[in-house]
Amino acid sequence: MSPAAGRDGVGLYCPAKINLRLRVGPTRTDLGGRHRLDTIYSAVGIWDRVELRPTEPGSGFRLSLEGEQLGDLNRRDADPHANLAVKALLAMAQATGHEPDVAIHIVKRIPVGAGLAGGSADAAGTMLGLNRLWNLGMAAADLDRIAASLGADLPFCLHGGLSRGTGFGQILEPLNPDGLQAQRLSRAGLTGHLLIGAYESQLSTAQVYKAFDLIGPGPHDLNDLQETACTLHPRSRQALDLARRAGIGPAFVSGSGPSVVVMAPRPEQTIALIKLWREQNAVDRIIEADSPVLPRMAPLRVTHGQ
Ligand SMILES: C[C@](O)(CO)[C@H](O)COP(=O)(O)OP(=O)(O)OC[C@H]1O[C@@H](n2ccc(N)nc2=O)[C@H](O)[C@@H]1O
Ligand SMILES: Nc1ncnc2c1ncn2[C@@H]1O[C@H](COP(=O)(O)OP(=O)(O)OP(=O)(O)O)[C@@H](O)[C@H]1O
């Protein structure tokens, strides 16, 4: 990761995340009451853009958001302190003795509350950007430790690519893109071009996990949370069924949902599925992307009147 940095600030492109496999075990006290996981994370080329600029000393932080679909981030009463990117700034400031005098501007393209780790992506981008902006030179292990204190998906979002995750998701074993496991995933059709079906509505990750304890996993699902997400959000099940009946896939719910992922390696499959989903109004938004990807630098845009 080498974010673009200059005296005016730093910019990052932060990818979304899907789970190519998600096995959910029991809650554990040694995991802070969270479920034990065994998952394969894959970063997806749907990019939020995080821009960090220093503010006047002692002026504190500023947060601004841009994008068509800001979900519940757009509420007039949305508390900036609840934004995961701000939590990351405050955690990094506390850990390094810096004042959080930084303006965070986020251009959102990752659907919110979709199971795509949009918040974690922005928080990871903020951490990587601050490491550069404040010339911290922090080791990956220190960044991972701060990230794990903020959220289960955040450590993976710092690295991107393909990685196995265990513990509550914070213990990472990056997969070599040319290695056996990555080749096996590719042969199973779980890497490359994909379609995301996203929704206006959101699912709360905490509520999905709570409901999972009652509903349990589907017998053949790649994602143990899929049956729960589809029970709470039936349109996801409809979208997956359409893909399956058209013989396109693998198809699965992303993380805690409600968004769905359909691997579509061939252009004619992409065209056919988009047509099907639109005819049946099975999704609200369709995004094409590739996976896995890595976080990458964003040239800092010139802002006028700053
Ligand atoms: C569903 C996944 O996205 C799959 O990667 C993650 O497990 C969720 O990661 P996340 O959104 O970063 O989750 P967090 O914000 O850390 O946790 C939200 C809530 O999800 C539940 N949670 C999360 C992770 C985990 N291994 N077990 C859990 O039970 C907990 O109730 C927690 O309070
Ligand atoms: N920068 C952010 N971007 C998106 N959501 C954020 C952000 N900061 C805080 N949130 C809040 O986090 C909640 C979950 O949003 P997010 O997009 O991370 O969900 P998700 O993709 O389902 O996460 P996960 O896949 O990790 O479960 C939303 O209710 C949103 O208000």
Side-chain angles (χ1 to χ4, degrees), residues 35 205-215 228:
H35 292 76
T205 303
Q207 283 171 11
V208 171
Y209 270 112
K210 208 170 158 100
F212 168 80
D213 290 337
L214 301 172
I215 296 170
T228 302

Side-chain angles (χ1 to χ4, degrees), residues 131-150:
N131 199 25
R132 189 65 183 254
L133 189 67
W134 289 343
N135 297 310
L136 299 172
M138 274 177 87
D142 294 330
L143 288 169
D144 288 346
R145 183 177 40 75
I146 294 172
S149 72
L150 293 169

Side-chain angles (χ1 to χ4, degrees), residues 114-227:
L116 294 165
S120 302
D122 300 342
T126 300
M127 292 181 64
L128 294 169
L130 290 170
N131 199 25
R132 189 65 183 254
L133 189 67
W134 289 343
N135 297 310
L136 299 172
M138 274 177 87
D142 294 330
L143 288 169
D144 288 346
R145 183 177 40 75
I146 294 172
S149 72
L150 293 169
D153 281 339
L154 227 165
F156 169 70
C157 291
L158 285 173
H159 303 273
L162 275 174
S163 186
R164 184 180 177 197
T166 51
F168 57 80
Q170 87 289 7
I171 300 171
L172 299 175
E173 297 163 47
L175 300 186
N176 174 343
D178 304 320
L180 274 179
Q181 271 197 294
Q183 288 169 14
R184 200 174 301 133
L185 291 167
S186 175
R187 278 198 302 275
L190 288 169
T191 61
H193 196 66
L194 56 83
L195 287 179
I196 299 266
Y199 298 92
E200 297 295 322
S201 47
Q202 302 181 190
L203 283 179
S204 148
T205 303
Q207 283 171 11
V208 171
Y209 270 112
K210 208 170 158 100
F212 168 80
D213 290 337
L214 301 172
I215 296 170
H220 310 297
D221 294 341
L222 289 170
N223 173 358
D224 282 352
L225 295 179
Q226 177 164 309
E227 184 53 33

